[in-house]
Amino acid sequence: MSVPRACETDPDAAHAINVPSALVNWLQSFKEKSSLLIHLSTDQVYEGEKSFYKEEDIAIPVNVYGKTKVAAEQFISEKYSNYAILRSSIIYGPQTVSPVPKSLPIQWMDGVLAKGEEVQFFHDEFRCPIFVKDLVDIILALTSLWISEGKQIQLLLNAGGPDRVSRVQMAEAVAQFRGYDTSKIKSVSASSVDRGVKSPSDISMDITKLVQTLKIHPVSFIDGVRLTLEAEAKN
């Protein structure tokens, strides 16, 4: 349950869905250390008061969604012996083979900017979006590590891209690739819009630990946008 406003409206449902207690309890019925649980968490576990959070920074979520994801991390780390928790930022990339119903970030920006009308984007909220193939490669690397070495794994990793970007910068990257008029991108503060939920301002992440542990270097946001839109054009 990943829509923050929906989580805020129904915190009990958000907690029941986002904390994988039934899955972990089921896995515990098997032989000890017989499996590795790779769990996708979120950058929204961070408070958003500084830039480039590290894994050892205290998780202080500002909304119900973040709180449920912290609860999930704690449950897994306390109850299960082999796990890798990935604190993912915004995941972007080409449309899936079976199209997902929710709007994908780059495709949405491309669609609204293509109309040539003025569109507002936040200039004061920062994330480190990750290209979907990089996230897949991270999961495959963790799986290979587990299969090849067979040792206990207890990892917490920031899983983001290398670039700290605002929504304005994300939109500008799309516009520049497509050749759209960037003057139509209007910069506004996140505080100017009531989204019904508090959102952290800067939850950019330091991914040094990820790079050092798995030897994976996620692509830049500009390159990820290019790869996304080139794939869309082929489809």
Side-chain angles (χ1 to χ4, degrees):
M1 193 167 174
S2 60
V3 178
R5 185 167 185 169
C7 293
E8 213 71 23
T9 303
D10 194 344
D12 290 338
H15 189 275
I17 292 169
N18 290 346
V19 181
S21 52
L23 172 63
V24 171
N25 291 335
W26 175 71
L27 287 172
Q28 285 179 319
S29 69
F30 294 93
K31 182 181 176 182
E32 181 71 8
K33 300 182 181 178
S34 65
S35 60
L36 171 68
L37 176 59
I38 300 174
H39 176 75
L40 289 186
S41 188
T42 176
D43 52 4
Q44 293 205 44
V45 300
Y46 297 119
E47 187 177 16
E49 296 297 323
K50 67 170 190 170
S51 301
F52 296 111
Y53 280 87
K54 296 184 178 182
E55 289 85 350
E56 55 267 27
D57 287 322
I58 299 174
I60 309 176
V62 301
N63 55 40
V64 170
Y65 173 59
K67 291 174 182 176
T68 65
K69 300 300 276 187
V70 168
E73 291 184 3
Q74 292 173 341
F75 186 84
I76 290 168
S77 61
E78 291 171 3
K79 300 291 184 180
Y80 208 64
S81 58
N82 285 289
Y83 62 84
I85 295 170
L86 304 176
R87 287 177 173 169
S88 172
S89 185
I90 297 170
I91 304 168
Y92 69 98
Q95 180 59 267
T96 56
V97 176
S98 298
V100 295
K102 68 182 293 185
S103 177
L104 299 177
I106 304 304
Q107 288 82 344
W108 178 81
M109 289 181 175
D110 186 31
V112 296
L113 292 170
K115 296 176 183 177
E117 301 171 356
E118 289 190 356
V119 190
Q120 294 182 341
F121 293 95
F122 301 146
H123 64 78
D124 51 359
E125 283 191 359
F126 297 91
R127 311 282 290 275
C128 289
I130 184 166
F131 186 55
V132 65
K133 185 180 182 299
D134 288 327
L135 188 59
V136 171
D137 286 344
I138 290 166
I139 293 170
L140 289 174
L142 287 166
T143 304
S144 297
L145 182 66
W146 164 249
I147 293 172
S148 63
E149 298 189 7
K151 296 187 298 186
Q152 185 180 53
I153 294 178
Q154 294 183 338
L155 270 177
L156 172 63
L157 296 173
N158 285 336
D163 298 315
R164 171 183 177 269
V165 292
S166 67
R167 294 299 199 283
V168 167
Q169 292 170 317
M170 291 173 68
E172 287 174 342
V174 173
Q176 288 164 6
F177 179 84
R178 288 294 204 198
Y180 299 144
D181 182 359
T182 55
S183 70
K184 299 296 183 181
I185 298 172
K186 297 304 177 184
S187 175
V188 299
S189 173
S191 62
S192 66
V193 178
D194 181 10
R195 287 173 283 175
V197 58
K198 188 174 181 180
S199 185
S201 298
D202 187 345
I203 44 177
S204 54
M205 297 186 294
D206 184 325
I207 59 169
T208 302
K209 185 178 177 182
L210 170 73
V211 173
Q212 292 177 343
T213 303
L214 300 178
K215 306 300 185 287
I216 289 176
H217 297 266
V219 300
S220 67
F221 184 70
I222 291 291
D223 285 341
V225 168
R226 175 181 56 80
L227 291 167
T228 297
L229 295 178
E230 285 178 348
E232 294 293 336
K234 291 178 182 178
N235 294 333

